[in-house]
Amino acid sequence: MGLAVKQLHYNCPQHGSVLIEVQARNTSLECAVCHYISPDNRPLRAVFQCVACGHADHADQNAGINIRERGIELARTGGQPGVGRKASKRLRAWRQPTLDAVA
């Protein structure tokens, strides 16, 4: 555990905040609008352009939205990622896509 994470674990309860750790996997490749995951969604390092729905955003902004939404979903389910129908659907999007799905 890094120093920054230790500080968050220490400081969040003191300030009335809750620290929720989420999987970062594919957050930079997943569209925040349609949740399609593809390496082609990142034509340039700082650019996000969804090949499925056309959503365009700065890559860091899009990834930040995905991380925020995952944290909100985990908070709603008490930290259990597989609880509830909606949470189960979102988890499928977190898995690494197969080569057939990306092509």
Side-chain angles (χ1 to χ4, degrees):
M1 184 181 318
L3 182 60
V5 176
K6 286 182 181 179
Q7 280 297 114
L8 286 171
H9 277 286
Y10 176 77
N11 286 328
C12 282
Q14 291 183 350
H15 296 280
S17 299
V18 177
L19 177 66
I20 299 174
E21 296 182 45
V22 300
Q23 288 184 346
R25 185 177 187 181
N26 291 329
T27 54
S28 64
L29 302 178
E30 178 182 351
C31 178
V33 175
C34 73
H35 305 290
Y36 180 73
I37 298 173
S38 173
D40 297 333
N41 288 344
R42 295 285 302 276
L44 299 170
R45 181 180 170 136
V47 176
F48 182 90
Q49 176 76 43
C50 182
V51 296
C53 73
H55 169 69
D57 202 348
H58 188 280
D60 291 343
Q61 176 75 19
N62 184 75
I65 292 168
N66 288 329
I67 291 168
R68 179 191 66 200
E69 293 302 313
R70 290 178 185 183
I72 290 170
E73 190 63 38
L74 285 173
R76 284 185 189 139
T77 61
Q80 301 298 317
V83 174
R85 189 170 146 220
K86 186 175 179 182
S88 297
K89 282 185 177 181
R90 295 275 318 240
L91 279 178
R92 280 189 229 119
W94 293 9
R95 294 187 187 134
Q96 183 68 31
T98 64
L99 291 177
D100 294 334
V102 175

